[in-house]
Structures are given as structure tokens and as C-alpha cells.
Amino acid sequence: SSGLHRTPNELENRNSFKERNAGANIEYKNKNIEIGLNYLKTQFSIPIIRIKSIANANRFTGNSNSAGSIYGQFRKFNYVLFTEIARSASGGNGGIIGLVSNLNRNLEASILARKYDNNFHSFYSSGFSESTRNMGEEGIYTGLKYSFNQKLILTTFFDGFRFTGVRSNISRPSVGFEYLSRLTYRPNKKALFYVQFRHQSKADNIAGESLNRNIKRVGNAEKSNYLINLDYEISPIVSIKSRIQGSYQIFDGNFSDGFALVQDINLNYRNWRLSSRIALFDTDNFDNSQYIYERDVLYAFSIPSLNGRGIRNYLVLRFKASQKLDFWMKYSRSSFVDRKVIGSGLEEIDDNKRTVLRIQSRIRF
């Protein structure tokens, strides 16, 4: 899945596993209603067999799977009602239902409920959920957006959820919640300022503490994130972005935190575009890693994990040679002051700096 073939293990795994997918969609639309059906069948060249453990009790095994769903959307006045119900070959069901509405000129509201069975398997689904996999979860999400005027907007949401099965990092069913508030101020077209606070409460296994060989003791992790961000266009050529963000967590009676200071400078002149960043970060542990989106070459998506103490910087250069020819180059470096070795195994670097260079071109016919 990575497309990388650098190490002996990666080379040995190459072409050892094949997957075939076949599916169909049929949909009907008119002015207010949208109704459709989906079906997807997945076939593997060899069966997936997992190690027997509590965490793998509900995960997919075998060499084929199929899933089908029916979905719909109804629009009337200022309301949009939508739903989708799905079922997989394993007998598990998954579904969502939600409502979005403009209650008045200033206030927008949304509510969404979801439920995915422990044995619901759909490899390519991307339904609304707290976890990355749409299985073993149920919850209710509510969101509000209030516009004081065209310049000042407040958005907030609350999401309560329950994991109905065990997970890789939670050895029993658990509950949790998350809420976020963001205040955005746009005084003019050149400036954007916002502050944001997010809090999450979720169960997690306590490292090194087991009730028996398979079941670990579970604690509740309370984590908060905050950020302050300013985007400003100095001129049609030069723009900047400044950000302060951080987090702190209380887990099993221990307090830890982390933060990052970020400064971007972007230049856009004729056929040239240059994006640059320097970020200073200091985190106590991996749980307080700071994640910040980075610009990259075409079709690449980069949100690196800033963990430990150090500096992260990059330059992205784009040159549009003609209507049919483009060039990109990205240079990035992470420098650490709290370690002398980066990585492990065949990717180990005997230094405190890691440098990556990407060069890309595109020819359009």
C-alpha cells in the first residue's frame, strides 16, 4: 500500500497480495430528493488471517467481503435531511442519519447520529466516526455556527460517542466525548484571525499495567488543544501566516504538554510560487505531538508529527514554465536537540537531522 520498495522486507512483500474490487451505484435525483444504492465486492488473492487476540476479535478475516447501502437526501425550505444504511456480508450493519438547518439569518445548526456494529466491515467507507474504521461505534454529534456579522463568526460542536467493542489501544468497551469552539474574525479581505479550543475525553490502556496477559488496565485521558492563527496578505506578492498552538493532557494522574510556534512566508510572482516555514516545537511525549498541515508538491499531502524538541523548516518552489509544463521542488528538514539518532532499523539516521528532497514535473498533453 505504501508503494515503497527500499528494504528487504518491502521487496519480499512486493506483489505478494492482490485485491480486486467490483461495484455499482444507481441514483435518482429531482429538485428536492436524492436516493441511491451502492454495492461493492472485494476479493483478495489470499485470505487475511489475524493473530488470535481480544483486539482482533471483531476484525475482518477471510478472502472476500461485500457491502451494500441505500442512501437518501431530502431538501425543503432551510432543512436538509440525509441518511445512509449499509450492511456487510458478515451480517453487520452501519448507518447514519442527520439534519442540517439554517434556523435564522445568523444561526446554522446540525445534528448527526451514527451506529456501526462490531462486525460491520466496509474497507472503503468514510462514514462520520471518531475512529478511522467504521465499526464498533455509536454516537451523536451536534454543531452550531453563529454569525455576529460578516466579520465575526463563532463555530462550535459537541460529539459524544461509545465504542461497543475492544480496540487496539482500549481493551474493553468505553465511552468518550469531544467539543470544540472557534472564533473567527475577518476584518477585511487581506486578514484572517481565529482562536480555537478543543477538548477530548477518551479511554486508553495504561502502558505496562495488565489485569492478565491479554487485558490491560484502562484509564481516562483528558486532552486539550489550543491555537491562535493569523493570515495576512501584505501585498499581492507576499503573504504571511503566524500560528501558536499547543496541547496538554492528564492521564493516569500524570500531566504532560507540548507546543509549537510557526511562521510562514509565501511569495507569488508571475510564474513562480515560493512557500516557506520555520516551526519551533517542544513536547513532553508522543501524546502531545503537534500536527500542522504543510504545502507540498502536486498531489502530495503532508501533516508531519512534531514530537520532541527541535526545529522544522521547509521550502516549496513551483515554476510554471508554460501552459503544459510545471515543476515543483520541496526541501524539508527536521532538526532535534533532544536526540542524536533518528529512526530505527534500516531507516536509522546517525544524526539529529533528517532532510527530505522531492522534485516533481508535470507535462500535460
Coordinates of all heavy atoms in Angstrom, one line a residue, residues 184-267:
T184 N -13.7 33.2 14.7 CA -13.1 33.7 13.5 C -13.4 35.2 13.3 O -14.6 35.6 13.3 CB -13.5 32.9 12.3 OG1 -13.2 31.5 12.5 CG2 -12.7 33.4 11.1
Y185 N -12.3 36.0 13.0 CA -12.5 37.4 12.8 C -11.8 37.7 11.5 O -10.6 37.5 11.3 CB -12.0 38.2 13.9 CG -12.0 39.7 13.7 CD1 -13.3 40.3 13.5 CD2 -10.9 40.5 13.7 CE1 -13.4 41.7 13.3 CE2 -11.0 41.9 13.5 CZ -12.2 42.5 13.3 OH -12.3 43.8 13.1
R186 N -12.6 38.3 10.5 CA -12.0 38.7 9.2 C -12.3 40.2 9.0 O -13.4 40.5 8.5 CB -12.6 37.8 8.1 CG -11.9 38.1 6.7 CD -12.6 37.3 5.6 NE -12.4 35.9 5.7 CZ -11.3 35.4 5.1 NH1 -10.4 36.1 4.4 NH2 -11.1 34.1 5.1
P187 N -11.4 41.1 9.4 CA -11.7 42.5 9.3 C -11.8 43.0 7.9 O -12.5 44.0 7.6 CB -10.5 43.1 10.1 CG -9.4 42.1 10.0 CD -10.1 40.8 10.0
N188 N -11.0 42.3 7.0 CA -11.0 42.7 5.6 C -10.6 41.5 4.7 O -10.3 40.4 5.3 CB -10.1 43.9 5.3 CG -8.8 43.7 5.9 OD1 -8.1 42.8 5.6 ND2 -8.3 44.7 6.7
K189 N -10.5 41.7 3.4 CA -10.1 40.6 2.6 C -8.7 40.1 2.7 O -8.3 39.0 2.3 CB -10.4 40.9 1.1 CG -11.9 41.1 0.8 CD -12.0 41.5 -0.7 CE -13.5 41.6 -1.1 NZ -13.7 41.9 -2.5
K190 N -7.8 40.9 3.3 CA -6.4 40.6 3.4 C -6.1 39.9 4.7 O -5.0 39.4 4.9 CB -5.6 41.9 3.3 CG -5.7 42.6 1.9 CD -4.8 43.8 1.8 CE -4.8 44.4 0.5 NZ -3.9 45.5 0.4
A191 N -6.9 40.0 5.7 CA -6.6 39.4 7.1 C -7.6 38.4 7.5 O -8.8 38.6 7.3 CB -6.4 40.6 8.1
L192 N -7.1 37.4 8.2 CA -7.9 36.4 8.9 C -7.3 36.0 10.2 O -6.1 35.6 10.2 CB -8.1 35.2 8.0 CG -8.8 34.0 8.6 CD1 -10.3 34.3 8.8 CD2 -8.7 32.7 7.7
F193 N -8.1 36.1 11.2 CA -7.6 35.8 12.6 C -8.6 34.9 13.3 O -9.8 35.1 13.2 CB -7.5 37.1 13.4 CG -7.1 36.8 14.9 CD1 -5.8 36.5 15.2 CD2 -8.0 36.9 15.9 CE1 -5.4 36.3 16.5 CE2 -7.7 36.6 17.2 CZ -6.4 36.3 17.5
Y194 N -8.1 33.8 13.9 CA -9.0 32.9 14.7 C -8.3 32.3 15.8 O -7.1 32.1 15.8 CB -9.7 31.9 13.8 CG -8.7 30.9 13.1 CD1 -8.3 29.8 13.7 CD2 -8.3 31.1 11.8 CE1 -7.4 28.8 13.1 CE2 -7.5 30.2 11.1 CZ -7.1 29.1 11.8 OH -6.2 28.2 11.2
V195 N -9.1 32.0 16.8 CA -8.6 31.3 18.0 C -9.5 30.0 18.2 O -10.7 30.1 17.8 CB -8.7 32.1 19.3 CG1 -7.7 33.3 19.2 CG2 -10.1 32.7 19.6
Q196 N -8.9 29.0 18.7 CA -9.7 27.7 18.8 C -9.3 26.9 20.0 O -8.1 26.9 20.4 CB -9.4 26.9 17.5 CG -10.0 25.5 17.5 CD -9.7 24.7 16.2 OE1 -10.1 25.1 15.2 NE2 -9.0 23.6 16.4
F197 N -10.3 26.3 20.6 CA -10.0 25.4 21.8 C -10.8 24.1 21.6 O -11.9 24.1 21.1 CB -10.5 26.1 23.1 CG -10.2 25.2 24.3 CD1 -9.0 25.2 24.9 CD2 -11.3 24.5 24.8 CE1 -8.8 24.4 26.0 CE2 -11.1 23.7 25.9 CZ -9.8 23.6 26.5
R198 N -10.1 23.0 21.9 CA -10.7 21.7 21.7 C -10.4 20.8 22.9 O -9.2 20.8 23.4 CB -10.1 21.1 20.4 CG -10.5 19.6 20.2 CD -9.9 19.1 18.9 NE -10.1 17.7 18.6 CZ -9.6 17.0 17.7 NH1 -8.7 17.6 16.8 NH2 -9.9 15.8 17.5
H199 N -11.3 20.1 23.3 CA -11.1 19.2 24.5 C -11.7 17.8 24.2 O -12.8 17.7 23.6 CB -11.8 19.7 25.7 CG -11.6 18.8 26.9 ND1 -10.4 18.8 27.7 CD2 -12.4 17.9 27.5 CE1 -10.5 18.0 28.7 NE2 -11.7 17.4 28.6
Q200 N -11.0 16.8 24.6 CA -11.4 15.4 24.3 C -11.2 14.5 25.5 O -10.1 14.6 26.2 CB -10.6 14.8 23.1 CG -11.0 13.4 22.7 CD -10.2 12.9 21.6 OE1 -9.1 12.5 21.7 NE2 -10.8 12.8 20.4
S201 N -12.1 13.7 25.8 CA -12.1 12.7 26.9 C -12.3 11.4 26.3 O -13.3 11.1 25.8 CB -13.1 13.0 28.0 OG -13.1 12.1 29.0
K202 N -11.3 10.5 26.5 CA -11.3 9.2 25.9 C -10.5 8.2 26.7 O -9.5 8.5 27.2 CB -10.8 9.2 24.4 CG -10.9 8.0 23.6 CD -10.2 8.0 22.3 CE -10.7 9.1 21.4 NZ -10.0 9.0 20.1
A203 N -11.0 6.9 26.7 CA -10.3 5.9 27.4 C -9.1 5.4 26.7 O -9.0 5.5 25.4 CB -11.2 4.7 27.7
D204 N -8.1 4.9 27.4 CA -6.8 4.4 26.8 C -6.2 3.4 27.7 O -6.4 3.5 29.0 CB -5.9 5.6 26.5 CG -4.9 5.2 25.5 OD1 -4.8 4.0 25.1 OD2 -4.1 6.1 25.0
N205 N -5.5 2.5 27.2 CA -4.8 1.5 28.0 C -3.6 2.2 28.7 O -2.9 3.0 28.2 CB -4.2 0.3 27.2 CG -5.3 -0.6 26.7 OD1 -6.4 -0.7 27.2 ND2 -5.0 -1.3 25.6
I206 N -3.4 1.7 30.0 CA -2.2 2.2 30.7 C -1.1 1.3 30.5 O -1.1 0.1 30.7 CB -2.6 2.3 32.2 CG1 -3.7 3.2 32.5 CG2 -1.3 2.7 33.1 CD1 -4.2 3.3 33.9
A207 N 0.0 1.9 29.9 CA 1.2 1.1 29.5 C 1.8 0.3 30.6 O 2.0 0.9 31.7 CB 2.2 2.0 28.9
G208 N 2.0 -0.9 30.4 CA 2.7 -1.8 31.4 C 1.9 -2.3 32.5 O 2.4 -3.0 33.4
E209 N 0.6 -2.0 32.5 CA -0.3 -2.4 33.6 C -1.4 -3.3 33.1 O -2.3 -2.9 32.4 CB -0.9 -1.2 34.4 CG 0.2 -0.4 35.1 CD -0.5 0.6 36.0 OE1 -1.6 0.4 36.4 OE2 0.2 1.6 36.4
S210 N -1.3 -4.6 33.3 CA -2.2 -5.6 32.8 C -3.0 -6.3 33.9 O -2.4 -6.6 35.0 CB -1.5 -6.7 32.0 OG -0.8 -6.1 30.9
L211 N -4.3 -6.5 33.7 CA -5.0 -7.3 34.6 C -4.7 -8.8 34.4 O -4.8 -9.6 35.4 CB -6.5 -7.1 34.4 CG -7.0 -5.6 34.6 CD1 -8.4 -5.5 34.3 CD2 -6.7 -5.2 36.1
N212 N -4.4 -9.2 33.2 CA -3.9 -10.5 32.9 C -3.1 -10.4 31.6 O -2.8 -9.3 31.2 CB -5.0 -11.6 32.8 CG -6.0 -11.2 31.7 OD1 -5.6 -10.8 30.6 ND2 -7.3 -11.5 32.0
R213 N -2.7 -11.5 31.0 CA -1.9 -11.4 29.8 C -2.5 -10.7 28.6 O -1.8 -10.0 27.8 CB -1.5 -12.8 29.4 CG -0.4 -12.9 28.4 CD 0.1 -14.3 28.2 NE -1.0 -15.2 27.7 CZ -0.9 -16.5 27.5 NH1 0.3 -17.1 27.7 NH2 -1.9 -17.2 27.1
N214 N -3.8 -10.7 28.5 CA -4.5 -10.1 27.3 C -5.2 -8.8 27.6 O -5.3 -8.0 26.7 CB -5.5 -11.1 26.8 CG -4.8 -12.3 26.2 OD1 -3.8 -12.2 25.5 ND2 -5.4 -13.5 26.4
I215 N -5.6 -8.6 28.9 CA -6.4 -7.4 29.2 C -5.6 -6.4 30.0 O -5.0 -6.8 31.1 CB -7.7 -7.8 30.0 CG1 -8.5 -8.8 29.1 CG2 -8.5 -6.5 30.3 CD1 -9.7 -9.3 29.8
K216 N -5.4 -5.2 29.5 CA -4.7 -4.2 30.2 C -5.6 -3.3 31.0 O -6.8 -3.1 30.7 CB -3.9 -3.3 29.3 CG -2.7 -4.1 28.6 CD -1.9 -3.2 27.7 CE -0.7 -4.0 27.1 NZ 0.1 -3.1 26.2
R217 N -5.1 -2.6 32.1 CA -5.8 -1.7 32.8 C -6.1 -0.4 32.0 O -5.2 0.1 31.3 CB -5.1 -1.3 34.1 CG -6.0 -0.6 35.1 CD -5.4 -0.6 36.5 NE -4.2 0.2 36.6 CZ -4.3 1.5 37.0 NH1 -5.5 2.1 37.2 NH2 -3.2 2.2 37.1
V218 N -7.3 0.1 32.1 CA -7.7 1.2 31.2 C -7.9 2.5 32.1 O -8.5 2.4 33.2 CB -9.0 0.9 30.5 CG1 -9.5 2.1 29.7 CG2 -8.8 -0.3 29.5
G219 N -7.4 3.6 31.6 CA -7.6 4.9 32.3 C -8.3 5.8 31.4 O -8.5 5.6 30.2
N220 N -8.6 7.0 31.9 CA -9.3 8.1 31.1 C -8.3 9.2 30.8 O -7.7 9.8 31.7 CB -10.5 8.6 31.8 CG -11.5 9.2 30.9 OD1 -12.0 8.6 29.9 ND2 -11.8 10.5 31.1
A221 N -8.1 9.5 29.5 CA -7.2 10.6 29.1 C -8.0 11.8 28.8 O -8.9 11.8 28.0 CB -6.4 10.1 27.9
E222 N -7.7 12.9 29.5 CA -8.3 14.2 29.2 C -7.2 15.1 28.5 O -6.2 15.4 29.0 CB -8.7 14.9 30.5 CG -9.7 14.1 31.4 CD -11.1 14.2 30.8 OE1 -11.3 15.1 30.0 OE2 -11.9 13.4 31.2
K223 N -7.5 15.4 27.3 CA -6.6 16.2 26.4 C -7.2 17.4 25.9 O -8.4 17.4 25.4 CB -6.1 15.3 25.3 CG -5.0 16.0 24.5 CD -4.4 15.1 23.4 CE -3.4 15.8 22.6 NZ -2.8 14.9 21.5
S224 N -6.5 18.6 25.9 CA -7.0 19.8 25.4 C -6.0 20.4 24.4 O -4.8 20.3 24.6 CB -7.2 20.9 26.5 OG -8.2 20.4 27.4
N225 N -6.5 21.0 23.3 CA -5.7 21.6 22.3 C -6.1 23.1 22.1 O -7.3 23.4 22.2 CB -5.8 20.9 21.0 CG -5.4 19.5 21.0 OD1 -6.1 18.6 21.5 ND2 -4.2 19.2 20.5
Y226 N -5.2 23.9 21.9 CA -5.5 25.3 21.6 C -4.6 25.9 20.5 O -3.5 25.4 20.2 CB -5.3 26.2 22.9 CG -3.8 26.1 23.4 CD1 -2.9 27.0 22.9 CD2 -3.5 25.2 24.3 CE1 -1.6 27.0 23.4 CE2 -2.2 25.1 24.8 CZ -1.2 26.0 24.3 OH 0.1 25.9 24.8
L227 N -5.1 26.9 19.8 CA -4.3 27.5 18.8 C -4.8 28.9 18.5 O -6.0 29.3 18.7 CB -4.3 26.7 17.5 CG -5.6 26.6 16.6 CD1 -5.7 27.8 15.6 CD2 -5.6 25.3 15.8
I228 N -3.8 29.8 18.1 CA -4.1 31.2 17.7 C -3.4 31.3 16.3 O -2.2 31.0 16.2 CB -3.5 32.2 18.7 CG1 -4.0 31.9 20.1 CG2 -3.7 33.6 18.3 CD1 -3.4 32.7 21.2
N229 N -4.2 31.8 15.4 CA -3.7 31.8 14.0 C -4.0 33.2 13.3 O -5.1 33.7 13.5 CB -4.3 30.7 13.2 CG -3.7 30.6 11.8 OD1 -2.8 29.8 11.6 ND2 -4.3 31.3 10.8
L230 N -3.0 33.7 12.6 CA -3.2 34.9 11.8 C -2.7 34.7 10.4 O -1.5 34.4 10.2 CB -2.4 36.1 12.5 CG -2.4 37.4 11.7 CD1 -3.8 38.0 11.5 CD2 -1.4 38.4 12.3
D231 N -3.6 35.0 9.4 CA -3.2 35.0 8.0 C -3.3 36.5 7.5 O -4.3 37.2 7.8 CB -4.1 34.2 7.1 CG -4.0 32.7 7.4 OD1 -3.2 32.3 8.4 OD2 -4.6 31.9 6.8
Y232 N -2.2 36.9 6.8 CA -2.2 38.4 6.4 C -1.6 38.5 5.1 O -0.4 38.0 4.9 CB -1.5 39.3 7.4 CG -1.6 40.7 7.1 CD1 -2.9 41.4 7.2 CD2 -0.5 41.4 6.6 CE1 -3.0 42.7 6.9 CE2 -0.6 42.8 6.3 CZ -1.9 43.4 6.4 OH -2.0 44.8 6.1
E233 N -2.2 39.1 4.1 CA -1.7 39.4 2.8 C -1.1 40.8 2.8 O -1.8 41.8 2.8 CB -2.8 39.3 1.7 CG -2.3 39.5 0.3 CD -3.4 39.4 -0.7 OE1 -4.2 38.4 -0.7 OE2 -3.5 40.4 -1.5
I234 N 0.3 40.8 2.8 CA 1.0 42.1 2.9 C 0.8 42.8 1.5 O 0.6 44.0 1.5 CB 2.5 41.9 3.2 CG1 2.6 41.2 4.6 CG2 3.3 43.2 3.1 CD1 4.0 40.8 4.9
S235 N 0.9 42.1 0.4 CA 0.8 42.6 -0.9 C 0.3 41.5 -1.8 O 0.3 40.3 -1.4 CB 2.1 43.2 -1.4 OG 3.0 42.2 -1.7
P236 N 0.0 41.8 -3.1 CA -0.3 40.7 -4.0 C 0.8 39.7 -4.2 O 0.5 38.5 -4.6 CB -0.6 41.4 -5.3 CG -1.0 42.8 -4.9 CD -0.2 43.1 -3.7
I237 N 2.0 40.0 -3.8 CA 3.1 39.1 -4.0 C 3.5 38.4 -2.7 O 3.8 37.2 -2.7 CB 4.4 39.9 -4.5 CG1 4.1 40.5 -5.8 CG2 5.6 39.0 -4.5 CD1 5.2 41.4 -6.4
V238 N 3.3 39.0 -1.5 CA 3.8 38.5 -0.3 C 2.6 38.3 0.7 O 1.8 39.2 0.9 CB 4.9 39.4 0.4 CG1 5.4 38.8 1.7 CG2 6.0 39.7 -0.6
S239 N 2.6 37.1 1.3 CA 1.6 36.8 2.4 C 2.3 36.1 3.5 O 3.3 35.4 3.3 CB 0.4 36.1 1.9 OG 0.8 34.8 1.4
I240 N 1.8 36.2 4.7 CA 2.4 35.5 5.9 C 1.3 34.8 6.7 O 0.1 35.1 6.6 CB 3.1 36.5 6.8 CG1 2.2 37.5 7.4 CG2 4.3 37.2 6.1 CD1 2.8 38.4 8.5
K241 N 1.7 33.8 7.4 CA 0.9 33.1 8.4 C 1.6 32.9 9.7 O 2.8 32.3 9.6 CB 0.4 31.8 7.8 CG -0.4 31.0 8.8 CD -0.9 29.6 8.3 CE -2.1 29.8 7.3 NZ -2.7 28.5 6.9
S242 N 1.1 33.3 10.8 CA 1.7 33.1 12.1 C 0.7 32.3 12.9 O -0.5 32.5 12.9 CB 2.0 34.4 12.8 OG 2.8 35.3 12.0
R243 N 1.3 31.3 13.7 CA 0.5 30.4 14.5 C 1.2 30.0 15.8 O 2.4 29.7 15.8 CB 0.1 29.2 13.7 CG -0.6 28.1 14.5 CD -0.9 26.9 13.7 NE -2.1 27.1 12.8 CZ -2.9 26.2 12.4 NH1 -2.7 24.9 12.8 NH2 -3.9 26.4 11.6
I244 N 0.4 30.0 16.8 CA 0.8 29.4 18.1 C -0.2 28.3 18.4 O -1.4 28.5 18.5 CB 0.9 30.4 19.3 CG1 1.8 31.6 18.9 CG2 1.3 29.8 20.6 CD1 1.7 32.7 19.9
Q245 N 0.3 27.1 18.7 CA -0.6 26.0 19.0 C 0.1 25.1 20.1 O 1.3 25.1 20.2 CB -1.0 25.2 17.8 CG 0.0 24.3 17.3 CD -0.5 23.4 16.2 OE1 -1.1 23.9 15.2 NE2 -0.3 22.1 16.3
G246 N -0.8 24.5 20.9 CA -0.3 23.6 21.9 C -1.3 22.7 22.4 O -2.5 22.7 22.0
S247 N -0.9 21.8 23.4 CA -1.8 20.9 24.0 C -1.3 20.5 25.3 O -0.1 20.6 25.6 CB -1.9 19.6 23.1 OG -0.7 18.9 23.0
Y248 N -2.2 20.0 26.2 CA -1.8 19.4 27.4 C -2.8 18.3 27.8 O -3.9 18.2 27.3 CB -1.9 20.5 28.6 CG -3.2 21.2 28.7 CD1 -4.2 20.7 29.6 CD2 -3.4 22.4 28.0 CE1 -5.3 21.4 29.8 CE2 -4.6 23.1 28.2 CZ -5.6 22.6 29.1 OH -6.7 23.3 29.2
Q249 N -2.3 17.3 28.5 CA -3.0 16.1 28.8 C -2.8 15.6 30.2 O -1.7 15.7 30.7 CB -2.6 14.9 27.8 CG -3.3 13.6 28.1 CD -2.9 12.6 27.0 OE1 -3.5 12.4 26.0 NE2 -1.9 11.8 27.3
I250 N -3.9 15.1 30.8 CA -3.8 14.5 32.1 C -4.3 13.0 31.9 O -5.4 12.7 31.5 CB -4.7 15.2 33.1 CG1 -4.3 16.6 33.3 CG2 -4.7 14.5 34.5 CD1 -5.2 17.4 34.2
F251 N -3.4 12.1 32.2 CA -3.7 10.7 32.0 C -3.0 9.9 33.1 O -1.8 10.0 33.4 CB -3.1 10.2 30.6 CG -3.4 8.7 30.4 CD1 -4.7 8.2 30.5 CD2 -2.4 7.9 29.9 CE1 -4.9 6.8 30.3 CE2 -2.6 6.6 29.7 CZ -3.9 6.0 29.8
D252 N -3.8 9.1 33.8 CA -3.3 8.3 34.9 C -2.6 9.1 36.0 O -1.6 8.7 36.6 CB -2.4 7.2 34.4 CG -2.2 6.1 35.5 OD1 -3.1 5.8 36.3 OD2 -1.1 5.5 35.5
G253 N -3.1 10.3 36.2 CA -2.6 11.2 37.2 C -1.3 12.0 36.8 O -0.7 12.7 37.6
N254 N -0.9 11.8 35.5 CA 0.3 12.5 35.0 C -0.1 13.6 34.1 O -0.9 13.4 33.2 CB 1.2 11.5 34.3 CG 1.7 10.4 35.3 OD1 2.1 10.7 36.4 ND2 1.6 9.1 34.8
F255 N 0.6 14.8 34.2 CA 0.4 15.9 33.4 C 1.5 16.0 32.4 O 2.7 15.9 32.7 CB 0.3 17.2 34.2 CG 0.2 18.5 33.4 CD1 -1.1 18.9 33.0 CD2 1.3 19.2 33.0 CE1 -1.2 20.1 32.3 CE2 1.2 20.3 32.2 CZ -0.1 20.8 31.9
S256 N 1.2 16.3 31.1 CA 2.2 16.5 30.1 C 1.7 17.5 29.1 O 0.4 17.7 29.0 CB 2.5 15.2 29.3 OG 1.3 14.7 28.7
D257 N 2.6 18.2 28.4 CA 2.1 19.2 27.4 C 3.1 19.3 26.3 O 4.2 18.7 26.2 CB 1.9 20.6 28.1 CG 3.2 21.1 28.7 OD1 4.3 20.5 28.6 OD2 3.2 22.3 29.2
G258 N 2.8 20.2 25.3 CA 3.6 20.5 24.2 C 3.1 21.7 23.4 O 1.9 22.1 23.6
F259 N 4.0 22.3 22.6 CA 3.5 23.5 21.9 C 4.4 23.6 20.6 O 5.5 23.0 20.5 CB 3.6 24.7 22.7 CG 5.0 25.2 23.0 CD1 5.6 26.1 22.1 CD2 5.7 24.8 24.1 CE1 6.9 26.6 22.4 CE2 7.0 25.2 24.3 CZ 7.6 26.1 23.5
A260 N 4.0 24.5 19.7 CA 4.7 24.8 18.5 C 4.5 26.2 18.1 O 3.4 26.7 18.3 CB 4.3 23.9 17.3
L261 N 5.5 26.9 17.7 CA 5.5 28.3 17.2 C 5.8 28.2 15.7 O 6.9 27.7 15.3 CB 6.5 29.2 17.9 CG 6.4 29.3 19.4 CD1 7.5 30.2 20.0 CD2 5.0 29.8 19.8
V262 N 4.9 28.7 14.8 CA 5.1 28.5 13.4 C 5.0 29.9 12.7 O 4.1 30.7 13.0 CB 3.9 27.6 12.9 CG1 4.1 27.3 11.4 CG2 3.9 26.3 13.7
Q263 N 5.9 30.1 11.7 CA 5.9 31.3 10.9 C 6.0 30.9 9.4 O 7.0 30.2 9.0 CB 7.0 32.2 11.3 CG 7.0 33.5 10.5 CD 5.7 34.3 10.6 OE1 5.4 34.7 11.7 NE2 5.0 34.6 9.5
D264 N 5.1 31.3 8.6 CA 5.1 31.0 7.1 C 5.3 32.3 6.4 O 4.8 33.4 6.8 CB 3.8 30.4 6.6 CG 3.6 29.0 7.1 OD1 4.4 28.5 8.0 OD2 2.6 28.3 6.7
I265 N 6.1 32.3 5.3 CA 6.2 33.4 4.4 C 6.0 32.8 3.0 O 6.7 31.9 2.6 CB 7.5 34.1 4.5 CG1 7.8 34.7 5.9 CG2 7.6 35.2 3.4 CD1 9.1 35.3 6.1
N266 N 5.0 33.4 2.2 CA 4.7 32.9 0.9 C 4.9 34.0 -0.1 O 4.4 35.1 0.1 CB 3.3 32.3 0.8 CG 3.0 31.3 1.9 OD1 3.8 30.3 2.0 ND2 2.0 31.4 2.7
L267 N 5.5 33.7 -1.3 CA 5.7 34.6 -2.3 C 5.1 34.1 -3.6 O 5.2 32.9 -3.9 CB 7.2 34.8 -2.6 CG 8.1 35.2 -1.4 CD1 9.5 35.3 -1.8 CD2 7.6 36.6 -0.8

